[in-house]
Amino acid sequence: MAENGYTYTLTRTLDAPVAKVWEAWTNPEQYAQWANAVPGSVEMHVRPGGTWKATMVTPGGEFPLGGTYLEVADKRRLVLGMNVPGRPEPVAMSADFTDLGERSEITVSQTSDTKEERDMAEQGSTMLLDGLSKFVANS
């Protein structure tokens, strides 16, 4: 085991300016479209301490998620705390946005307690980034 858990980091270059990518990630209606969330289930209060929630559609059924924004730096960084049943502290996932002019880069990272949790989280984040990439390139 790593000293502080098991971490994954995913980086994507997107064919859209950072303002468009930020809007897609922080606007509930847009997020629902690309993140495969149940329409109307997404709520976002994008500010430090603000809450968020979404019901995700997965092959195994619907999966409710929620938590708080731990850090918000406009068009640069989001750190989301995700509430996990049975855990006293939220699991933090960071998303860093880099302005590349007409393109942008997003880096998502999360640390988990076990390799299995990390692998599941990485798979979920890969699906999110796939959806985001397609959405911003086609909208």
Side-chain angles (χ1 to χ4, degrees), residues 59-90:
E62 295 182 357
F63 187 74
L65 293 173
T68 57
Y69 291 96
L70 304 174
E71 185 180 336
V72 177
D74 191 42
K75 296 177 190 66
R76 291 192 323 259
R77 181 171 171 82
L78 285 173
V79 180
L80 295 88
M82 293 179 281
N83 298 329
V84 177
R87 291 188 61 133
E89 297 293 323

Side-chain angles (χ1 to χ4, degrees), residues 9 23 28 35 41 50 58 66 87 99 112 114 124 127 134 139:
T9 301
E23 181 70 11
S41 73
T58 69
R87 291 188 61 133
D99 186 347
S112 301
T114 68
M127 290 170 50
K134 290 175 189 165
S139 63

Side-chain angles (χ1 to χ4, degrees), residues 4-49:
N4 295 313
Y6 294 86
T7 301
Y8 72 85
T9 301
L10 300 170
T11 300
R12 294 279 177 92
T13 301
L14 306 174
D15 290 321
V18 74
K20 185 175 183 179
V21 175
W22 179 268
E23 181 70 11
W25 195 287
T26 60
N27 176 295
E29 291 77 27
Q30 289 187 31
Y31 184 89
Q33 291 177 52
W34 64 264
N36 208 24
V38 173
S41 73
V42 181
E43 292 181 22
M44 298 177 161
H45 306 279
V46 185
R47 64 181 184 285

